[in-house]
Amino acid sequence: MAKGDPKKPKGKMSAYAFFVQTCREEHKKKDPEVSVNFAEFSKKCSERWKTMSGKEKSKFDEMAKADKVRYDREMKDYGPAKRGKKRDPNIKSTNPGISIGDVAKKLDEMWNNLNDSEKQPYITKAAKLKEKYEKDVADCKSKGKCDGAKGPAKVARKKVEEEDEEDEEEEEDE
């Protein structure tokens, strides 16, 4: 499975990488049926590279320079999707440019300034999540297998979020 942005330009290749690629192509032409032992092939390429003269390597250096120009040009046009940290929009709007650490401090301060009745919905939600998590962990252990991708915490959080959405819809209907 590929990682990252599929639109991101292919990385630039070094002179040695071009050399190895050429060696691989030569090998395929000679023996297309024979599979390559990667460790042996790499070792032979490395030894051959070390014994090459600067003049022989210059061809591959030129290829690497041309590829660097291509890469730099493509990267200049490439604008990756930016994934920023989520911050409280209210804090961000009243304090533009605030750091993540300062957001955490501000949220802590805001939490401490809430009275018990204002904190209660969050405490209840946290208790529901914890209870669901502990139940899911117990179920998981009793079955002897847990799916890491959809572990108990994610399943519990999703369930509570769905319940919260239902509660909000009911409140709006009233």
Side-chain angles (χ1 to χ4, degrees), residues 77-146:
D77 297 336
Y78 171 70
K82 294 185 179 179
R83 290 184 280 156
K85 302 283 184 192
K86 292 184 180 178
R87 298 181 185 174
D88 185 302
N90 298 326
I91 291 174
K92 186 68 180 158
S93 63
T94 57
N95 302 288
I98 191 170
S99 72
I100 292 172
D102 290 337
V103 168
K105 289 176 186 172
K106 185 73 174 167
L107 288 172
D108 184 52
E109 180 185 316
M110 291 168 66
W111 177 257
N112 290 332
N113 289 334
L114 292 177
N115 63 39
D116 289 342
S117 64
E118 292 171 321
K119 289 181 182 180
Q120 196 54 50
Y122 303 103
I123 294 169
T124 305
K125 193 180 292 189
K128 279 184 186 178
L129 277 171
K130 184 176 181 181
E131 184 180 314
K132 177 71 173 138
Y133 172 80
E134 289 171 350
K135 180 185 176 293
D136 288 343
V137 168
D139 290 347
C140 212
K141 287 181 180 177
S142 69
K143 292 177 185 173
K145 61 179 180 178
C146 289

Side-chain angles (χ1 to χ4, degrees), residues 21 23-24 31 46-47 59 97 106 137 144 165:
Q21 185 179 46
C23 289
R24 201 175 303 130
D31 300 316
S46 175
E47 290 168 5
K59 167 184 157 186
K106 185 73 174 167
V137 168
E165 287 174 7

